[in-house]
Amino acid sequence: AAAEPPLRWEPRCRQQLRHLQDGARIAARLPPRLEGRWVSTGCEVRPGPEFLTRSYLFYANRLFKAYQFYYWDPSCRDPSYSLVIKGKLRLRQASWITRGATEADYHLHKVGIVFHSQKAMREVAAWINQTSGEGCRGFLPPGRTWAPGALYELLSAKTERDCTAALGFAMHELSLVRVEQRYEPLLRAQQSGSRLVEELYLGDIHTDWLERLHYRPTGYQRPMQSALHHVHPCPACGIIYRADEHHPPILPAQAQLPMQLSGSWVSTHCEVRPAVLFLTRYFIFHGNNHTWEGYYYHYSDPLCKQQTFTIYASGHYTRGIPSSKVRGGTELAFKVTQARVTPMDQVTVMMLNSSEPGSCGLTSSWSAGVEQDITPTNGCLALGIKLPHMEYELFKTEQDTQDRSLLYVGERPTDGSSPDSPDKRPTSYQAPLIQCAGASEEFSNYVSLKYLGKKDANGNEALKPLPVAFLLFIALLFLRWD
């Protein structure tokens, strides 16, 4: 097996990944406490694309009232329509599929819609009239004039009327719940101490429009934050908190940033994907020759402490062009030409060693903790990796409220497949990566992929193996590149 190559680290990149592996001082109660209001921290993008903000209020008696505000634009400044959703939520047992999550049952009582323009009213009425059953066909007669502030009933449990399907609307996100608490340092001058931040993770939305109505989540979407305990500053939080279906939030204008990929980018937290995959990512983009490197650290737990396996991939990418489908996004194509795999437990080692000869690295040569190049065998059949491989991507860059650069990479298909054709290009984004080194910064530190620094008895940084884990087979459902 090939010896493991050194990984070039800029100190901030190293510090960020070590911070994530230390659990980032995150606490998650089981079952979670939901009482109170939770709000989006910015404009969210769902597959489609759909641009929206959310404001959910949970009561102590299990009732809830949720607002979803939809927009024409990716800055959430031009409202289309708003939904007001009322129902009841019952938390059940801890999820046996997604570790750290709680499963829940919900029942919708009412869903109402308020249109914010004649155009929105006309479009939604056309969707409902074309795709709904007999009970909804006359939802809005043709030619009905838009009435500002008028609330129309889409769903009523009492009358058993449900006209929401035409909108691709479902609240299955409520069937998977996780609340995380952490403490953020105070940023203002002459302030010491920290501030409590609470985040609500709800189930992910299927990337295929036809599947989203009956999909039961196994991953999460972008978290909402507590209206009382959120990251500061958060210009959007107060605006969304004060909004209702008649007064949708209009978020502050943001300058459109040019796509500057060059440099190094790293995950901001332990990420969760459908098919029970926890991971952190580290990317290096070389703008001078359009090559890239990606490190994917996979774990079995929601705090990203128990590592299962590591993937290294590299190749080149095309120049970006503005997306015609997702405003604010940039379309690129990435070619994966090389890949290396490091199995981290004996179960994986046995699986790889029993794979068909010549289909995944050197035959019967795998061992735990040792990286091997799978490029000579054109990938690894056992892991569903095929080389070379092309992926059609969607990227976006933003700055957060602390003027840090964020990179959003296209959301992976929920079914575990790959965006290997232009028609499968994402229309929404994964959790953002934060820039930890610019293009011109030197990488002066070297550290192994499998080891992160830990001080030994003499105060020197020792190499400590990461723990091994057991959910490789389920996690690999996500990692299909064929």
Side-chain angles (χ1 to χ4, degrees), residues 270-465:
C270 183
E271 300 170 12
V272 185
R273 297 287 184 277
V276 200
L277 183 67
F278 305 99
L279 79 158
T280 56
R281 296 171 291 153
Y282 176 69
F283 288 138
I284 307 168
F285 297 99
H286 307 282
N288 56 341
N289 59 6
H290 279 235
T291 59
W292 68 279
E293 301 169 78
Y295 297 87
Y296 306 82
Y297 307 89
H298 299 264
Y299 303 83
S300 66
D301 67 297
L303 294 181
C304 284
K305 289 187 175 183
Q306 301 166 359
Q307 193 173 29
T308 56
F309 61 97
T310 298
I311 302 287
Y312 165 84
S314 64
H316 57 266
Y317 61 96
T318 62
R319 293 184 181 276
I321 60 171
S323 172
S324 58
K325 195 168 186 179
V326 186
R327 285 172 55 193
T330 299
E331 295 181 353
L332 303 100
F334 280 76
K335 190 163 189 179
V336 187
T337 55
Q338 291 183 304
R340 301 195 291 264
V341 174
T342 308
M344 300 297 285
D345 64 356
Q346 290 302 325
V347 174
T348 311
V349 170
M350 289 173 61
M351 179 188 73
L352 295 177
N353 280 335
S354 62
S355 60
E356 184 180 337
S359 68
C360 186
L362 296 174
T363 305
S364 302
S365 64
W366 292 92
S367 59
V370 179
E371 183 183 68
Q372 188 173 154
D373 191 352
I374 58 172
T375 309
T377 52
N378 297 320
C380 180
L381 190 62
L383 302 186
I385 301 174
K386 185 178 180 181
L387 297 173
H389 175 73
M390 183 72 81
E391 294 198 345
Y392 295 84
E393 267 296 359
L394 179 74
F395 276 42
K396 175 179 70 168
T397 52
E398 283 184 357
Q399 280 191 314
D400 67 8
T401 54
Q402 298 172 41
D403 293 327
R404 299 175 300 185
S405 294
L406 301 178
L407 174 65
Y408 291 83
V409 181
E411 190 171 357
R412 307 294 298 185
T414 306
D415 64 6
S417 64
S418 168
D420 53 8
S421 60
D423 62 301
K424 293 181 71 174
R425 190 186 300 273
T427 56
S428 56
Y429 302 99
Q430 301 177 41
L433 304 167
I434 192 167
Q435 189 167 39
C436 56
S440 61
E441 296 183 49
E442 294 296 324
F443 297 88
S444 57
N445 293 281
Y446 293 84
V447 73
S448 165
L449 266 176
K450 302 189 304 300
Y451 300 89
L452 289 179
K454 187 160 187 173
K455 299 281 174 79
D456 62 16
N458 299 319
N460 300 316
E461 251 184 13
L463 292 179
K464 173 183 177 295

Side-chain angles (χ1 to χ4, degrees), residues 60 148 209 213 234 237 370 394 443 453 459:
W209 183 277
L213 293 182
C234 178
C237 293
V370 179
L394 179 74
F443 297 88

